[in-house]
Amino acid sequence: MNVIFISPQFPHYYYNFCLRLKERGARVLGIGDTPYDGVDDNTKNALDEYYYVPDLQDYEDVYRAVGFYTAKYGKIDWIESENEYWLYLEAHLRTDFNVTTGPKLEDMDQLRHKSKMKDVYQRAGIPVAKYAYLDNLETGLAFAREVGYPVIVKPDDGMGASCTYKLTSDDDFRNIYQTLDQETQFIVEDYVPGNVETFEGITPVMDMVNEHLDTTFYQQPVFASDIYDIGERTVKAFGTKSRFFHFEFIRLTEDKDYLGRKGNLVGLEVNMRAPGAYIPDMMNLAYDVDVYTIWADMILYDQCFYDINRQYWVGYAGRRNDVQYALSNEQIIKRYGRFIALEDDVDAALAEAMSDHIFLFRTKDKEKLFRIMHEITQHAYTKKDKS
């Protein structure tokens, strides 16, 4: 089986996807925009061959790379990146090379446009926030006055919390509107009070980015829960098959007239790729499995060979380089080393949402998990002290 993996060298831990495929017997062919001498040994060893292109956004160069691999090895069976940034590129290549094992260009609207995602959620009976296309300032102001502030402005086709704004007044709206790229379609939507939940944990990414907060989240049991039920309905609604998925919902922290009662779940976004921020590794730690191998087995055999039984609570805590913390990294390791499974620096391009330095840790006890999370992110001073 011939599998092309786009950008196997970034993020640096994505070599795991390639390595498990190679270990299971697939031929793994990389295409990346880092010169070969700059690719780390883990990635090199996980690939059968690597093709360098100066710019992955230059479609003709990437097309030639796939053509080269096709001529050398035969028909390509899979094209993947597990990176939201390259989903369109994957789909374009699958369409042009007739690779049938993933979304093609005609499938991308509902997988990338937040407005189209809302349509699918609603067809599945899952509530979503009201929204309007932000075609001009007057349209946006009228919508905000209709639903009441705060409102959220974000690209209809965007990734993570990039160019996402929480606005609290007409003046806010006017000021932000002047900064928006007029070539990009934005939407304005009603603000939903709540926490973002996924199948993997609680991830309030917009606040992390916009307010430069420490990044913390944890995995919670989901079987036989409301999020498990709504997640299954979302899988069916989007026709999800043969791939990772990462679905996001908001759990209301107060009643919202047309959405439901406090504690209810509201549809937010879907991502047809592996969850980021080391969440695959957190899944491994929670269940004592290897999700990279499960993914490879799905591609190669369409089967899972693991018994899935949750065993641990797993947390993620990230630190900012420009923040002074009560405990140093070394003190954290000395105090909680037996619980810490991974300590790592985050790639600079991802640190805005993920923090600069992270710890993954697991315990059998939920309260212990929260205590470790608190101590990792406890600042050396409070905002009041600093002022």
Side-chain angles (χ1 to χ4, degrees):
M1 177 178 285
N2 296 320
V3 180
I4 288 179
F5 202 94
I6 306 293
S7 189
Q9 82 288 356
F10 181 84
H12 67 266
Y13 49 87
Y14 269 32
Y15 77 88
N16 284 295
F17 293 108
C18 301
L19 181 61
R20 301 311 191 278
L21 279 171
K22 186 176 180 181
E23 289 174 341
R24 290 309 225 206
R27 179 183 288 119
V28 188
L29 308 168
I31 302 174
D33 55 7
T34 300
Y36 186 75
D37 289 345
V39 176
D40 67 41
D41 287 342
N42 284 331
T43 302
K44 289 177 180 177
N45 294 334
L47 299 171
D48 289 280
E49 190 165 346
Y50 180 81
Y51 191 112
Y52 165 65
V53 296
D55 184 0
L56 281 171
Q57 297 185 81
D58 185 332
Y59 185 73
E60 294 304 315
D61 270 0
V62 180
Y63 182 93
R64 281 192 288 272
V66 178
F68 169 80
Y69 280 145
T70 302
K72 185 172 182 179
Y73 297 111
K75 181 171 172 53
I76 304 303
D77 300 290
W78 288 77
I79 299 175
E80 298 288 340
S81 74
E82 296 305 327
N83 190 320
E84 189 173 1
Y85 194 84
W86 303 120
L87 292 186
Y88 271 120
L89 176 59
E90 293 176 24
H92 200 167
L93 293 169
R94 291 190 196 103
T95 301
D96 285 350
F97 286 90
N98 194 30
V99 176
T100 60
T101 49
K104 295 188 176 182
L105 283 176
E106 63 266 26
D107 304 312
M108 294 308 291
D109 267 5
Q110 71 177 24
L111 301 183
R112 284 298 302 258
H113 289 85
K114 295 172 177 61
S115 56
K116 305 300 183 185
M117 293 176 190
K118 290 176 183 288
D119 293 342
V120 179
Y121 271 134
Q122 287 180 309
R123 289 199 296 270
I126 298 169
V128 296
K130 293 178 180 178
Y131 79 100
Y133 290 106
L134 187 56
D135 294 327
N136 52 61
L137 178 59
E138 290 69 29
T139 299
L141 290 172
F143 177 85
R145 291 163 184 162
E146 175 193 341
V147 300
Y149 286 102
V151 295
I152 303 297
V153 167
K154 58 187 177 183
D156 191 25
D157 180 1
M159 297 178 295
S162 177
C163 298
T164 298
Y165 306 96
K166 180 181 177 182
L167 310 179
T168 59
S169 68
D170 284 1
D171 286 343
D172 264 4
F173 214 133
R174 293 188 184 96
N175 292 335
I176 288 297
Y177 188 81
Q178 301 307 315
T179 71
L180 300 180
D181 178 4
Q182 298 304 308
E183 300 300 314
T184 299
Q185 176 67 67
F186 281 80
I187 63 171
V188 53
E189 66 180 9
D190 191 11
Y191 174 75
V192 178
N195 296 316
V196 177
E197 294 193 15
T198 72
F199 277 116
E200 297 82 36
I202 301 175
T203 51
V205 176
M206 182 180 70
D207 289 342
M208 301 303 176
V209 173
N210 293 342
E211 301 179 28
H212 197 60
L213 301 177
D214 303 315
T215 309
T216 59
F217 55 92
Y218 66 97
Q219 290 195 317
Q220 60 185 355
V222 298
F223 186 71
S225 67
D226 58 350
I227 198 168
Y228 188 89
D229 172 68
I230 205 171
E232 279 196 318
R233 288 156 57 194
T234 304
V235 166
K236 294 175 182 176
F238 282 88
T240 311
K241 59 182 180 180
S242 299
R243 62 193 45 260
F244 265 110
F245 58 84
H246 178 66
F247 299 148
E248 299 176 3
F249 308 93
I250 296 178
R251 189 175 296 280
L252 296 175
T253 51
E254 59 186 68
D255 295 351
K256 183 76 172 176
D257 51 8
Y258 67 95
L259 290 177
R261 307 283 292 179
K262 177 181 178 180
N264 287 1
L265 288 165
V266 175
L268 182 58
E269 295 181 19
V270 301
N271 299 278
M272 296 303 178
R273 43 84 179 167
Y278 293 88
I279 292 176
D281 299 277
M282 294 175 69
M283 296 163 69
N284 291 341
L285 292 168
Y287 294 93
D288 265 345
V289 298
D290 188 293
V291 295
Y292 302 107
T293 296
I294 292 172
W295 176 79
D297 288 342
M298 177 272 298
I299 287 178
L300 289 164
Y301 311 115
D302 195 27
Q303 189 173 348
C304 175
F305 299 99
Y306 277 98
D307 291 324
I308 308 298
N309 295 297
R310 184 183 184 87
Q311 300 184 49
Y312 296 93
W313 288 85
V314 181
Y316 176 113
R319 293 177 155 204
R320 304 285 181 183
N321 288 339
D322 59 355
V323 173
Q324 184 179 351
Y325 294 93
L327 296 176
S328 68
N329 293 342
E330 292 74 20
Q331 288 172 313
I332 292 295
I333 291 294
K334 183 175 181 180
R335 185 172 298 185
Y336 294 116
R338 67 186 182 280
F339 301 104
I340 293 172
L342 175 69
E343 179 188 7
D344 202 6
D345 291 322
V346 176
D347 292 305
L350 304 175
E352 190 174 36
M354 294 171 55
S355 294
D356 300 291
H357 190 82
I358 66 101
F359 293 89
L360 298 188
F361 43 95
R362 70 178 184 179
T363 73
K364 292 283 190 178
D365 181 83
K366 181 179 178 181
E367 296 308 315
K368 183 75 170 181
L369 182 91
F370 288 154
R371 189 156 57 251
I372 296 172
M373 185 179 294
H374 170 74
E375 294 213 11
I376 291 175
T377 57
Q378 184 176 14
H379 293 191
Y381 49 78
T382 66
K383 291 184 178 179
K384 182 178 180 180
D385 293 334
K386 190 178 181 182
S387 63

